[in-house]
């Protein structure tokens, strides 16, 4: 059982500028991969455990009388955080699940085109590849400029858009390259051509100030287990009201058939079969935790560490910026291009670069080293539990790494 921190303890850590005690992390690991799998603080873990205990004490009452109302309250809390309306948010396990629902909800015909960028996340590309194979549509990739700039991004997507384009899928913050894309401008551009837009936004939640109603997309898929620090298994799907009736969940269960309740577009997403909704319900605790410390405190702390490590990495032989050339373009995560040793081959998902293995096994540092479009890169994340010392230890390990050059 996880012991929650008191309000006084949280306030004390904030006062002294050290937040590591809010987490229960492996003391033998320097964790610099929050961008992939963000661990929850002890306060949020305690909240998740309490929801699970409450379920186990009286499952029938919890599932049949309480769960829907509780999820709606959580959706209301999250809607306030994301500056939208609860009626537009459905809680779902993660952004990948949400993206599958979106793909299942959009009708495509043979000859239609779905446009992605070359920075899109692999799982998202897989989802739309499958959708296109099933429908006879074609998947098109817009090649964004290297390095990135807003005008070049807009021009590249505009140039790749044709009269056959039905959907544009774009990351708000890219996964591999850690770049913030101009999604509002892209959505406005697409809307002028009557093209649907789907934003994949797991990395944007809490890293950026999100006003979902302003973005202009039809669908927004998010995960809360990254910078928001909610438990694994917590995410959401935002849908513009004009598409609520079109939402179709590929998992068919009891949604929409509960006696005494008015059917809602979220029903099938809420009822996916018997599952523990504790991670979803703990989104509220994660929001409270970050709000108590302060979103600006988190962002300023993370950005200062990221700017420091970025500058030091760029001073090392063979290293350079990956896509983003300005330090102001990064907040809590950055990717830096690394030199490619003789005989180097890009790895695949689940097959880490030898440097990643060396950092983990010899220095106790967890940070992804991977490949994107033929570029070898290191991605570094920072959250409240990280420190300047963590970044210095990473730099020391890299300078002596056998597999860097």
């Amino acid at each position: 059982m996880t012991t929650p921190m008191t309000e006084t303890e949280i306030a004390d850590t904030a006062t002294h500028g050290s937040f590591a005690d809010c987490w229960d992390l492996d003391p033998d690991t320097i964790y610099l991969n929050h961008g992939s799998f963000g661990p929850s603080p002890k306060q949020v873990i305690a909240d998740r455990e309490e929801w699970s205990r409450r379920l186990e004490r009286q499952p029938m009452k919890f599932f049949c009388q309480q769960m829907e109302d509780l999820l709606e309250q959580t959706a209301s809390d999250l809607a306030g955080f994301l500056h939208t309306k609860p009626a537009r948010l459905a809680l779902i396990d993660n952004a990948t699940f949400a993206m599958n629902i979106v793909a299942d909800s959009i009708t495509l015909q043979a000859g239609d085109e779905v446009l992605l960028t070359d920075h899109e996340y692999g799982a998202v590309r897989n989802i739309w590849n499958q959708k296109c194979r099933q429908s006879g549509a074609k998947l098109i990739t817009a090649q964004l400029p290297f390095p990135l700039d807003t005008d070049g991004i807009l021009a590249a997507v505009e140039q790749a858009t044709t009269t056959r384009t039905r959907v544009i899928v774009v990351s708000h913050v890219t996964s591999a390259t850690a770049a913030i894309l101009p999604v509002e401008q892209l959505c406005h551009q697409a809307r002028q051509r009557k093209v649907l837009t789907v934003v994949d936004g797991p990395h944007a939640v809490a890293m950026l100030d999100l006003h979902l109603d302003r973005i202009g997309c039809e669908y927004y898929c998010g995960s809360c287990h990254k910078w928001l620090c909610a438990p694994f298994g917590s995410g959401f799907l935002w849908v513009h009201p004009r598409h609520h009736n079109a939402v179709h969940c590929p998992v068919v269960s009891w949604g929409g058939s509960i006696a005494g309740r008015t059917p809602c577009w979220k029903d099938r997403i809420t009822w996916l079969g018997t599952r523990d909704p504790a991670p979803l319900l703990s989104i509220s605790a994660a929001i409270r935790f970050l709000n108590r410390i302060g979103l600006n405190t988190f962002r300023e702390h993370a950005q200062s560490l990221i700017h420091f490590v970025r500058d030091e990495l760029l001073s090392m032989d063979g290293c350079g910026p990956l896509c983003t050339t300005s330090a102001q373009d990064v907040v809590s995560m950055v990717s830096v291009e690394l030199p490619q040793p003789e005989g180097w081959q890009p790895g695949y998902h689940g097959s880490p670069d030898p440097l990643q293995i060396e950092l983990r096994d010899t220095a106790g540092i967890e940070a992804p080293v991977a490949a994107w479009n033929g570029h070898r890169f290191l991605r570094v994340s920072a959250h409240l539990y990280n420190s300047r010392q963590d970044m210095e230890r990473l730099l020391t390990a890299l300078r002596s790494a056998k597999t860097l050059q």
Side-chain angles (χ1 to χ4, degrees):
M1 176 179 172
T2 302
T3 303
M5 297 182 73
T6 66
E7 295 286 343
T8 301
E9 289 172 326
I10 292 174
D12 186 60
T13 57
T15 299
H16 292 89
S18 175
F19 303 97
D21 286 345
C22 295
W23 275 262
D24 186 20
L25 298 172
D26 180 357
D28 297 325
T29 299
I30 295 174
Y31 195 71
L32 302 179
N33 194 21
H34 198 101
S36 289
F37 310 109
S40 297
K42 290 183 280 189
Q43 191 78 18
V44 177
I45 294 173
D47 190 81
R48 183 198 67 200
E49 291 172 346
E50 177 54 33
W51 281 120
S52 291
R53 283 193 295 271
R54 183 170 166 180
L55 163 63
E56 296 290 351
R57 281 195 292 267
Q58 225 292 26
M60 187 69 179
K61 180 179 180 181
F62 190 92
F63 281 124
C64 298
Q65 299 177 40
Q66 299 174 335
M67 185 180 73
E68 287 187 293
D69 290 337
L70 291 169
L71 288 172
E72 277 303 301
Q73 179 56 57
T74 303
S76 180
D77 293 340
L78 183 59
F81 187 79
L82 301 175
H83 302 94
T84 187
K85 299 176 178 63
R88 299 182 179 188
L89 280 179
L91 302 181
I92 192 67
D93 297 43
N94 49 59
T96 299
F97 206 139
M99 187 66 71
N100 273 274
I101 293 173
V102 174
D104 209 55
S105 301
I106 294 177
T107 300
L108 295 176
Q109 299 177 351
D112 289 344
E113 293 178 354
V114 176
L115 179 61
L116 279 66
T117 79
D118 58 339
H119 289 248
E120 197 49 67
Y121 187 55
V124 172
R125 182 170 292 276
N126 290 343
I127 292 166
W128 289 99
N129 257 325
Q130 176 174 286
K131 177 69 175 183
C132 288
R133 286 196 303 269
Q134 292 171 343
S135 62
K138 186 177 181 181
L139 194 69
I140 304 296
T141 301
Q143 305 293 326
L144 300 188
F146 186 91
L148 292 169
D149 70 275
T150 297
D151 290 342
I153 293 169
L154 296 174
V157 173
E158 176 71 13
Q159 184 176 4
T161 305
T162 73
T163 56
R164 297 181 297 276
T165 306
R166 298 291 174 263
V167 185
I168 294 176
V169 182
V170 61
S171 288
H172 199 158
V173 180
T174 63
S175 178
T177 52
I180 302 169
L181 300 186
V183 293
E184 288 191 36
Q185 291 147 287
L186 287 168
C187 290
H188 175 73
Q189 184 174 273
R191 193 162 55 252
Q192 291 180 318
R193 301 187 65 163
K194 298 182 180 180
V195 176
L196 297 175
T197 48
V198 183
V199 178
D200 186 46
H203 285 288
V205 182
M207 178 196 287
L208 307 176
D209 278 326
L210 284 183
H211 292 252
L212 292 187
D213 291 349
R214 295 183 188 173
I215 291 174
C217 59
E218 271 70 38
Y219 301 91
Y220 194 104
C221 304
S223 291
C224 299
H225 70 261
K226 296 182 184 287
W227 308 106
L228 185 57
C229 295
F232 300 114
S234 61
F236 65 88
L237 171 62
W238 180 94
V239 180
H240 192 283
R242 62 176 167 264
H243 298 293
H244 284 176
N245 291 335
V247 173
H248 180 265
C249 182
V251 177
V252 179
S253 183
W254 285 103
S257 60
I258 303 299
R261 295 189 69 93
T262 303
C264 172
W265 72 273
K266 299 191 254 187
D267 288 343
R268 284 189 176 179
I269 299 173
T270 298
W271 289 96
L272 295 177
T274 304
R275 59 173 176 160
D276 186 352
L280 297 173
L281 296 173
S282 298
I283 291 172
S284 297
I287 293 171
R288 290 193 300 270
F289 175 82
L290 268 190
N291 281 340
R292 279 195 295 266
I293 288 178
L295 274 172
N296 286 337
T297 299
F298 151 60
R299 291 168 184 159
E300 290 169 5
H301 177 82
Q303 193 170 45
S304 68
L305 295 178
I306 290 299
H307 283 189
F308 165 71
V309 76
R310 178 185 183 275
D311 289 345
E312 292 296 317
L313 287 170
L314 294 183
S315 71
M316 296 172 62
D317 289 342
C319 295
L322 182 69
C323 299
T324 52
T325 57
S326 170
Q328 300 309 311
D329 295 332
V330 296
V331 181
S332 51
M333 180 173 71
V334 68
S335 289
V336 172
E337 185 164 9
L338 301 177
Q340 299 179 11
E342 185 176 351
W344 176 82
Q345 293 292 329
Y348 297 93
H349 185 69
S351 176
D353 188 283
L355 176 59
Q356 180 174 332
I357 297 173
E358 182 178 0
L359 288 173
R360 183 192 65 203
D361 293 348
T362 65
I365 297 171
E366 197 70 70
V369 180
W372 172 83
N373 279 11
H375 300 270
R376 186 190 190 205
F377 70 89
L378 165 72
R379 196 187 71 186
V380 183
S381 299
H383 212 290
L384 287 163
Y385 53 80
N386 292 121
S387 65
R388 175 76 168 254
Q389 185 180 24
D390 292 342
M391 301 303 168
E392 290 172 344
R393 287 183 60 180
L394 171 65
L395 295 167
T396 298
L398 287 170
R399 292 184 181 111
S400 61
K402 299 177 181 178
T403 54
L404 177 58
Q405 301 294 337

